[in-house]
Amino acid sequence: MTHRTAPEVTGGGAKGPDELRQQLEHARGRLGRTVEELADKAHLKTRAADLKDKAGAMTVQLRSSASKAGHTVEHNVPRPVANVVQAGLRHPRPVVVAGAAAGAVVAAGLLRRRHNGHH
C-alpha cells in the first residue's frame, strides 16, 4: 500500500465553486483508492489465515493417517519381519549396503545367464 499525503492547502482554499468541486472530486478519488487498498490488504490477510488453518488441518489428518497405517502394519506383519523393519529404521546404513549387495548379486546372475545364452 502506498502512503499518500494530505492535499496541500494553498492560500484560503478554493477560488470558486468549480475549483472546490474539483478538489472534492480529487479527494474522493484518493479516498476511494485508499479504501480499496485497505480492503485488498484485509482480504489477503484473511486468505492467508484461511490457508494456514487448512494446512494445519491437513497436517493433523496426515499424522492420523500415518499413525493408523503404522498400527495396521504393526498388527498385520509377522513379528520377525516387523523386527527387521524396525532395526532397519534404527540403522539404515546396513540395510542400504545389504540392498546394494543383493542387487549386485541379482545383476551378476542376470548377466551370467545372458552370457551363457540363456534368456
Side-chain angles (χ1 to χ4, degrees):
M1 184 170 87
T2 59
H3 297 283
R4 293 185 169 80
T5 57
E8 292 183 23
V9 178
T10 56
K15 295 182 182 165
D18 289 336
E19 189 176 331
L20 181 58
R21 280 188 205 96
Q22 285 179 336
Q23 288 178 356
L24 284 173
E25 286 302 315
H26 184 68
R28 279 190 195 124
R30 280 197 327 271
L31 180 60
R33 287 188 298 276
T34 302
V35 168
E36 287 175 6
E37 289 173 358
L38 290 172
D40 288 345
K41 189 174 183 179
H43 179 71
L44 287 175
K45 286 183 179 182
T46 300
R47 293 264 308 152
D50 288 345
L51 290 173
K52 184 177 178 183
D53 289 344
K54 286 180 184 179
M58 289 178 75
T59 300
V60 169
Q61 186 177 8
L62 287 172
R63 284 184 181 159
S64 174
S65 296
S67 177
K68 287 177 187 175
H71 290 296
T72 299
V73 169
E74 184 178 316
H75 296 294
N76 293 325
V77 172
R79 193 77 190 123
V81 173
N83 289 341
V84 169
V85 169
Q86 288 174 352
L89 291 173
R90 283 192 304 271
H91 307 286
R93 183 173 288 157
V95 173
V96 171
V97 170
V105 168
V106 169
L110 291 173
L111 289 173
R112 186 174 299 127
R113 284 182 91 195
R114 195 174 271 184
H115 180 70
N116 291 332
H118 296 96
H119 295 291

